[in-house]
Amino acid sequence: MAVEARPAPRVGLVLGAGGTVGLAYHSGVLRALEQVGGFVPDQADIVVGTSAGSVIGAYLRCGWSTEDLWGLAMGTHPVLSGLTPEEVEARRAELFTPSFRSVPDFVRRGLGSAFVLARTLSRLPAPPAPGPLRHLFPGGLFDMTEGHRRFNEDLPLGWPTRPLWLCAVDIVSGRRVVLGRRGAPFASLHEGVMASCAIPGFYRPVQVGNMTLVDGGAHSTSNVDVVAKANCDLIVASVPLAWDTSAAPCGLYQLPRRFAARRLSNEVAEARSRGARVLLFRPGAPEVAMHGLNFMRRQGWEAVATMAYDAAARTLDTPRFRSALGDLAA
């Protein structure tokens, strides 16, 4: 009697928020997943990105390899060839270009930023701010100049053919918006990434139709539940802003991560209740201490990536992780 082949597991890859530290953390985890775990991240059926994770997800889906992402974190990628360390640092500084040019300009942008932050925190539906007011009081103190340049040079405007879902929050409705998913409002890939990265009060929100979108981390820094509801059999999640519960950091370092950790715990419970296996990568106490409290820092990316790779490699060499990823190759 012929044995019917089992269908291949449906895999979701979740890349959480985490600022520039998160970008470096993801690069280390994803490199370990491929080199040690034998899982090529772009092979995932669905990639869900939030904030820093949206950047990494977009690059993956547009053909960049884990070695490319590693090279960016380590400052050795060919796109940086010919640049001196000072020039590389200058480019990183342009991730936070002040958008104000004078004290009055700072005041009006500060008022706009306070409004965006308040709307984000309240998460209550409200009428959109009139266009003239948005123009007079733009909600963002910094521009992501280097981000715009890199996206224009490295990424197409159109979305990749394989599913890439980027999470943002609409401060008009107060609801999460998953760009790139069927039924989502139209936005270019660049707009989707910028919206998912628009830290409220820090960067200017992104207008998509009638929506005013900010960083998806305002809803959840992980958004594991998005892939859980897509009926994935296996969920692989890299979550820089949570922490490894088996190696918890001290209370001081837990404080800015508690929202992320609690939300992640609830989302993982929901995913498992739907029958999914969940493999989590989160920084342990030594990594959290090294990450520090400034998630948007411009230095130390190499150390973050290296520690993430080493920790992920150890995690991948455990029976549960070997078994789960081994089933993909079977």
Side-chain angles (χ1 to χ4, degrees), residues 106 121-122 175 281 328:
F106 173 81
L121 293 174
S122 70
R175 301 177 66 179
F281 294 91
L328 297 180

Side-chain angles (χ1 to χ4, degrees), residues 151-327:
F151 300 156
N152 287 331
E153 293 179 5
D154 302 336
L155 302 176
L157 287 172
W159 288 75
T161 55
R162 304 195 69 198
L164 171 67
W165 297 351
L166 306 182
C167 299
V169 168
D170 176 24
I171 63 172
V172 176
S173 67
R175 301 177 66 179
R176 176 174 62 189
V177 177
V178 183
L179 298 168
R181 187 169 64 178
R182 180 176 296 180
F186 174 78
S188 71
L189 179 59
H190 293 188
E191 289 172 330
V193 174
M194 295 300 294
S196 187
C197 293
I199 302 172
F202 200 87
Y203 293 124
R204 189 169 184 172
V206 175
Q207 289 295 133
V208 173
N210 294 324
M211 298 186 304
T212 303
L213 301 181
V214 298
D215 194 315
H219 176 86
S220 166
T221 65
S222 48
N223 289 293
V224 168
D225 59 319
V226 171
V227 287
K229 294 170 183 174
N231 298 318
C232 286
D233 303 298
L234 175 65
I235 298 172
V236 180
S238 174
V239 190
L241 287 182
W243 69 76
D244 185 345
T245 53
S246 67
C250 69
L252 173 64
Y253 289 116
Q254 287 186 16
L255 283 175
R257 297 170 179 263
R258 281 184 177 169
F259 168 78
R262 289 173 180 171
R263 189 72 191 223
L264 176 64
S265 177
N266 293 335
E267 292 169 356
V268 169
E270 177 181 349
R272 288 175 173 156
S273 72
R274 292 173 176 267
R277 300 172 77 176
V278 183
L279 302 181
L280 290 178
F281 294 91
R282 301 160 293 177
E287 289 178 273
V288 169
M290 192 268 293
H291 291 183
L293 301 176
N294 178 11
F295 304 126
M296 299 297 288
R297 72 179 199 234
R298 305 198 303 266
Q299 296 83 26
W301 297 1
E302 301 85 352
V304 172
T306 300
M307 287 190 74
Y309 177 90
D310 292 342
R314 291 191 297 271
T315 299
L316 287 161
D317 194 30
T318 58
R320 187 169 72 87
F321 278 68
R322 285 200 305 267
S323 172
L325 293 176
D327 288 347

